[in-house]
Amino acid sequence: MEEDTDFRIRFSSLCFITDHVGFHGTIKSSPSDFVVIEIDERGQLVNKATDEPTYKMSKVLPEPNNFAKKTKLGFQNLVFEEESNQKANVLVQCSDDEQNRQSGSEKEDTSNDGTSKGEEEKAYALGSLLDEKTNELLNQFACGIKEKWNSKSELPGPSPEFSLGRILDKNQRAILHSAIRQKFPFLITVGKNSEIVVKPNLEYKELCHLVSEEEAFDFFKYLDAKKENSKFTFKPDTNKDHRKAVHHFVNKKFGNLVETKSFPEANYNAGNPNTVITVRFREKAHKYRKRSVECQERKVIYTAFTLRKENLEMFEAIGFLAVILGVIPSDFSYAGLKDKKAITYQAMVVRKVTPERLKDIEKEIKKKRMNVFNIRSVDDSLRLGQLKGNHFDIVIRNLKNQINDSANLRERILEAIENVKHKGFVNYYGPQRFGMGRKVHTDQIGLALLKSEMVKAVKLFLTPEDLDDPVNRAKKYFLQTEDAKGTLSLMPEFKVRERALLESLHRFSMTEEGCIQAWFSFPHSMRIFYIHAYSSKIWNEAVSYRLATYGSRVVEGDLVCLDEDGDDEQFPNNKVHLVTEEEESANAYAIHQVVLPVLGYNVQYPKNKVGLWYQEVLSRDGLQTCRFKVPTLKLNVPGCYRKILKQPRNLSYQLIEEHDIDVKAEGSHIDEATLSLLISFDLDASCYATVCLREIMKHDF
């Protein structure tokens, strides 16, 4: 592997947490030696093909939430197929009386002309949609709601909620919404960022004060079914004032969807005239609502897919896709950045592009070493950090001992891997966080943006390397002339970001305001990336200082995370604790619980030498009064906390001998065996495989 000497100098100052000797080797000899596969929020590898005709959802882990007063549940093995299991009862069994009433209702083919067998089948489908445990918990929740309503000691307070977790496939969500409302009309379902939350239907409870519960039950099933030209009829009623109250309730709550009318009962006694209230959907409103929904869906189209790329920078890949699809780079969203010199698989979502259109470009993008698959419609974008982690399959070649180390190489490798497996590694941000330029790194651009030095940031971005190629010749010309139009004619088409910036500079000029406009040619995720790069550089320096100053001891003034199950970099302030003198003396915390702040306006700093170090660095870089907000670029940086140590998960490895035949002289052959290491492991989001390998090998790349 060709090594960047500037990075070797920069990262050689970083420290280690383990004490083994390590070994030498070469990584990324070719992109196929470094395979990165994103792990989605459900714990699934994104390179696995999905079965589009059958909706399937594997285990979704519960989302930790220690503040919301609602149950967060795992949603496991969700499967909906045509041959769905119809064992589940249509209605929750809360009491013998209710069970008898519900059973009687199930025998009918229709429910007051509104709910047909098709809707009943939706309710039965829950038996297949939910695993047994979740189904049971849902039934218990529904039962609890009924019991609470029937209890005279019901206390005021927020309505209870029951979460089924995040369901990423919108077809899955649609099926679940309908099935739950059909089975439990006294509950409602709402969507929150792809999460399905079940709540009590307070309107159902209110209607029960006017009509029988059986009527309320059937009425809300009718409403949810939304069957055109269907009618619902309440039971005959002789009380005019009571009928008036029912009319008023239905029209007040649902008047935009339905209309009500009173009719004499078909077979009534003239001496005792009964009148029934009939409800039917408003034809115009129903059709208008249907058209408006269709129109809305046409306006915003989201298509999810898995992107496979080889030896290609992610932003370059997005730029190429944007040109082919006729959209802009900001229409793409993703959960995390991926290595360039590697084969990577990651989830993406693109706006304003249909699945059919995306499938059409598969052949065209293969020449750029890209492929797209698992293409499907979704109803929302991805956000940074919306992943569980990454899986790595890595080959390290040309293994050999460290200089002056005569120990058995295989034993050295085994010792190193086991050591890091159990003790972990220093959780540095990797070199790819800072770009691979020798003259300018992304953190320098981020610092300029934080200081609102927009012109300087543009010049840094367009600073050439000491290479004689079209890209660097174009950059050199720009710095000499500031001629954006002329530089555009020199800049290769595939440099999408550079060309976007230059086009804006040509339009708005190379002034402070013009440079601000030019930065808006980048999507928000790319603008914030540079500031995150600066924060990451400072965090790397901070953790080195922390370990050099205090070692593995947890000392007074350290910050520790109290939420062992929380996602890295997502700890709220009230889960970060300042270690006291008494806690230091009692060894109350371990080093793996220590966190350091990543710069931002909403973080606290350690109350020891490390905290003083942060203040000195901010003063050094001219940020002593920085609020970590750049209003002109619409950038806000709240900051976060990052654990200083991490451990690889699911680690496995295999040593392989590769035989090279060296021809020394005519008729003389020497067969030399070289060792290669195949190693696989999982890392949490925002952790770097190269940093883990650095700890294993004790070698800076």
Side-chain angles (χ1 to χ4, degrees), residues 113 208 490 532:
D113 195 33
C208 285
L490 299 173
H532 285 166

Side-chain angles (χ1 to χ4, degrees), residues 149-291:
W149 284 354
N150 294 332
S151 171
K152 294 182 180 179
S153 59
E154 182 180 344
L155 297 175
S159 294
E161 297 180 359
F162 178 88
S163 174
L164 297 178
R166 300 188 71 234
I167 314 300
L168 300 182
D169 190 290
K170 70 175 183 180
N171 293 314
Q172 296 259 354
R173 290 199 300 276
I175 294 167
L176 272 173
H177 278 297
S178 181
I180 292 171
R181 288 170 180 255
Q182 282 295 309
K183 182 177 179 181
F184 307 113
F186 53 90
L187 301 177
I188 58 172
T189 56
V190 294
K192 293 181 179 179
N193 297 323
S194 301
E195 176 189 18
I196 293 183
V197 176
V198 185
K199 299 180 177 182
N201 185 346
L202 299 181
E203 291 169 344
Y204 178 99
K205 181 184 178 185
E206 189 175 346
L207 182 58
C208 285
H209 293 305
L210 296 172
V211 300
S212 69
E213 186 169 353
E214 182 180 358
E215 290 175 281
F217 189 95
D218 291 337
F219 173 72
F220 278 94
K221 287 187 70 174
Y222 161 80
L223 271 186
D224 182 70
K226 297 182 179 67
K227 186 178 178 183
E228 272 192 278
N229 302 318
S230 62
K231 295 184 294 182
F232 176 86
T233 303
F234 286 101
K235 289 181 179 180
D237 188 356
T238 59
N239 189 322
K240 183 177 180 180
D241 289 336
H242 184 260
R243 292 198 307 270
K244 187 176 180 181
V246 174
H247 278 293
H248 179 74
F249 172 85
V250 174
N251 285 291
K252 179 182 177 182
K253 301 291 185 181
F254 315 105
N256 60 327
L257 287 176
V258 298
E259 58 184 354
T260 61
K261 286 188 177 180
S262 294
F263 297 96
E265 188 182 6
N267 300 310
Y268 70 94
N269 185 329
N272 186 23
N274 272 345
T275 303
V276 294
I277 297 175
T278 297
V279 183
R280 68 178 182 183
F281 284 104
R282 293 183 184 275
E283 187 176 359
K284 290 183 179 179
H286 185 72
K287 289 183 178 179
Y288 172 78
R289 182 174 177 273
K290 189 175 181 180
R291 283 197 303 270

Side-chain angles (χ1 to χ4, degrees), residues 70-71 73 92 94 135-147 159-163 186-188 197-200:
K70 59 183 179 183
T71 311
L73 298 172
V92 63
C94 296
N135 213 342
E136 181 182 349
L137 288 169
L138 178 59
N139 276 280
Q140 289 176 3
F141 175 78
C143 233
I145 296 299
K146 286 303 216 44
E147 289 174 0
S159 294
E161 297 180 359
F162 178 88
S163 174
F186 53 90
L187 301 177
I188 58 172
V197 176
V198 185
K199 299 180 177 182

Side-chain angles (χ1 to χ4, degrees), residues 297-313:
E297 288 175 352
R298 283 198 299 271
K299 285 180 182 175
V300 184
I301 298 171
Y302 294 95
T303 298
F305 62 97
T306 296
L307 172 67
R308 180 195 186 274
K309 63 180 181 66
E310 179 178 341
N311 200 27
L312 193 64
E313 187 190 39

Side-chain angles (χ1 to χ4, degrees), residues 51-65:
D51 186 3
E52 290 186 11
T54 299
Y55 299 110
K56 295 194 176 185
M57 181 166 293
S58 298
K59 181 176 180 180
V60 176
L61 296 178
E63 298 179 16
N65 187 337

Side-chain angles (χ1 to χ4, degrees), residues 316-556:
E316 186 178 340
I318 288 175
F320 186 74
L321 289 172
V323 170
I324 294 176
L325 293 169
V327 295
I328 57 177
S330 59
D331 286 321
F332 290 84
S333 57
Y334 42 85
L337 307 180
K338 296 291 177 280
D339 300 71
K340 177 185 177 182
K341 194 170 184 181
I343 294 175
T344 67
Y345 298 83
Q346 66 187 115
M348 282 199 174
V349 173
V350 59
R351 289 189 304 171
K352 299 181 286 190
V353 175
T354 64
E356 292 73 24
R357 175 73 181 102
L358 194 58
K359 288 175 183 176
D360 286 343
I361 70 167
E362 289 184 63
K363 290 183 180 178
E364 190 174 355
I365 64 176
K366 281 185 178 178
K367 61 185 177 184
K368 291 291 288 185
R369 304 177 303 280
M370 286 191 290
N371 186 27
V372 292
F373 57 99
N374 288 344
I375 300 169
R376 62 206 182 277
S377 293
V378 293
D379 59 2
D380 207 353
S381 299
L382 281 171
R383 65 179 186 279
L384 284 173
Q386 195 175 334
L387 73 164
K388 190 175 181 183
N390 294 285
H391 172 80
F392 298 90
D393 294 314
I394 298 169
V395 181
I396 307 174
R397 301 189 185 276
N398 306 316
L399 299 176
K400 49 191 171 185
N401 289 78
Q402 300 275 22
I403 297 173
N404 300 323
D405 178 27
S406 59
N408 181 280
L409 179 58
R410 291 175 180 266
E411 291 179 0
R412 283 293 191 223
I413 294 170
L414 176 63
E415 172 195 38
I417 292 174
E418 291 299 317
N419 212 359
V420 172
K421 182 178 179 180
H422 293 102
K423 294 182 180 179
F425 58 93
V426 185
N427 192 23
Y428 289 117
Y429 289 99
Q432 55 269 58
R433 184 81 166 191
F434 310 102
M436 298 307 292
R438 295 169 185 262
K439 283 192 172 182
V440 174
H441 300 294
T442 54
D443 59 274
Q444 295 170 270
I445 299 172
L447 176 58
L449 292 176
L450 277 172
K451 297 168 76 173
S452 293
E453 297 173 343
M454 301 301 170
V455 175
K456 179 180 179 180
V458 166
K459 289 183 176 180
L460 285 170
F461 179 80
L462 292 172
T463 296
E465 298 293 332
D466 292 328
L467 298 170
D468 188 25
D469 58 54
V471 173
N472 286 291
R473 284 197 294 271
K475 289 182 175 181
K476 186 176 181 180
Y477 173 80
F478 178 80
L479 288 192
Q480 291 172 342
T481 65
E482 294 187 3
D483 175 13
K485 184 177 180 181
T487 308
L488 264 173
S489 65
L490 299 173
M491 186 65 68
E493 290 289 334
F494 71 89
K495 299 304 286 185
V496 177
R497 280 183 294 164
E498 285 80 355
R499 290 187 62 84
L501 194 80
L502 288 166
E503 285 170 358
S504 291
L505 290 174
H506 173 54
R507 180 180 177 185
F508 297 107
S509 78
M510 189 63 182
T511 61
E512 191 76 13
E513 181 60 33
C515 288
I516 290 172
Q517 294 300 321
W519 281 112
F520 275 105
S521 67
F522 289 2
H524 179 272
S525 58
M526 204 178 295
R527 299 196 302 274
I528 201 77
F529 166 76
Y530 293 104
I531 292 179
H532 285 166
Y534 171 75
S535 299
S536 302
K537 170 181 174 284
I538 300 305
W539 192 91
N540 278 3
E541 295 175 1
V543 73
S544 291
Y545 178 82
R546 163 63 181 75
L547 291 171
T549 304
Y550 297 119
S552 296
R553 295 183 301 121
V554 180
V555 301
E556 180 184 1

